[in-house]
């Protein structure tokens, strides 16, 4: 059965919504455990607010298409996020594992939003592109921050671990 560009776009929106649910859960867990790294905690808290806005934007896009998010995908990604956070919390170098994972995840989100923008245009959902570009810009800003702070976070961890 052939799919239309809009069908593919809707699947992409649902996948992105689940991705942002996963991001929200990860940041909620991480921000609970980063008191020793105030810069990280501040950025996680700020980006958590952005992530909630991104979820709302994706929901607007889905509603404009006459669709909803996928409860199954959202629940599965929420579970993945919480299990990941649980495993990272058991490690002495939790902050490093989170930093590496966040670096990868932010770039994953960037790719997803670039793809969604292309799909929205192909599906004729040009009204959605501005919303998606807002989310893309937020993800790029966070990815840049994480990347620029790997060494700083590593040094802070090293100081704490070798006291």
């Amino acid at each position: 059965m052939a799919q239309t560009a809009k069908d593919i776009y809707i699947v992409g929106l649902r996948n992105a919504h689940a991705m942002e649910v996963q991001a929200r859960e990860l940041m909620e867990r991480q921000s609970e455990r980063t008191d020793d790294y105030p810069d990280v905690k501040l950025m996680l808290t700020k980006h958590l607010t952005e992530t909630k806005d991104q979820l709302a934007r994706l929901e607007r896009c889905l509603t404009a298409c006459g669709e909803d998010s996928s409860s199954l995908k959202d629940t599965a990604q929420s579970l993945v996020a919480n299990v990941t956070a649980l495993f990272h919390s058991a490690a002495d170098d939790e902050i490093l594992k989170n930093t590496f994972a966040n670096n990868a995840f932010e770039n994953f989100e960037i790719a997803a939003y670039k793809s969604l923008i292309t799909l929205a245009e192909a599906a004729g959902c040009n009204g959605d592109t501005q919303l998606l570009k807002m989310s893309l810009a937020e993800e790029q800003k966070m990815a840049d921050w994480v990347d620029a702070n790997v060494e700083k976070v590593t040094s802070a961890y090293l100081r704490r671990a070798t006291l």
Side-chain angles (χ1 to χ4, degrees), residues 6 17 38 42 50 54 73-74 77 119 130 140 156 161-162:
K6 189 171 183 179
H17 192 274
L42 179 66
E50 292 172 342
Q54 292 164 7
K73 288 180 182 183
D74 287 354
Q77 291 305 101
L119 291 170
Q130 191 59 35
Q140 288 171 324
T162 57

Side-chain angles (χ1 to χ4, degrees), residues 37 92-93 154-163:
Y37 303 90
D92 290 338
D93 61 347
T154 301
S155 293
Y157 167 73
L158 185 60
R159 280 190 303 276
R160 295 188 56 72
T162 57
L163 288 177

Side-chain angles (χ1 to χ4, degrees), residues 31-48:
S31 65
E32 294 166 354
R33 302 180 52 81
T34 55
D35 290 338
D36 293 334
Y37 303 90
D39 292 347
V40 174
K41 186 176 188 87
L42 179 66
M43 285 305 292
L44 285 172
T45 302
K46 179 181 180 291
H47 196 53
L48 180 57

Side-chain angles (χ1 to χ4, degrees), residues 20-138:
E20 292 298 357
V21 166
Q22 181 179 4
R24 182 191 64 206
E25 294 296 318
L26 278 170
M27 283 184 283
E28 285 175 351
R29 301 297 79 74
Q30 289 177 10
S31 65
E32 294 166 354
R33 302 180 52 81
T34 55
D35 290 338
D36 293 334
Y37 303 90
D39 292 347
V40 174
K41 186 176 188 87
L42 179 66
M43 285 305 292
L44 285 172
T45 302
K46 179 181 180 291
H47 196 53
L48 180 57
T49 299
E50 292 172 342
T51 298
K52 291 174 183 177
D53 292 342
Q54 292 164 7
L55 280 163
R57 287 183 207 124
L58 290 165
E59 289 162 6
R60 283 178 57 192
C61 293
L62 282 161
T63 299
C65 292
E67 300 290 336
D68 291 317
S69 60
S70 168
S71 297
L72 178 62
K73 288 180 182 183
D74 287 354
T75 300
Q77 291 305 101
S78 177
L79 179 62
V80 168
N82 282 293
V83 169
T84 300
L86 178 65
F87 280 117
H88 286 191
S89 70
D92 290 338
D93 61 347
E94 174 185 10
I95 190 67
L96 297 182
K97 286 181 174 41
N98 287 342
T99 299
F100 306 157
N102 291 346
N103 193 328
F105 199 83
E106 292 302 326
N107 284 285
F108 181 89
E109 290 175 302
I110 288 167
Y113 279 109
K114 287 179 178 179
S115 179
L116 276 177
I117 291 164
T118 300
L119 291 170
E121 291 168 352
C125 299
N126 297 323
D128 292 354
T129 58
Q130 191 59 35
L131 295 173
L132 298 169
K133 287 179 181 179
M134 289 172 61
S135 296
L136 174 60
E138 291 165 350

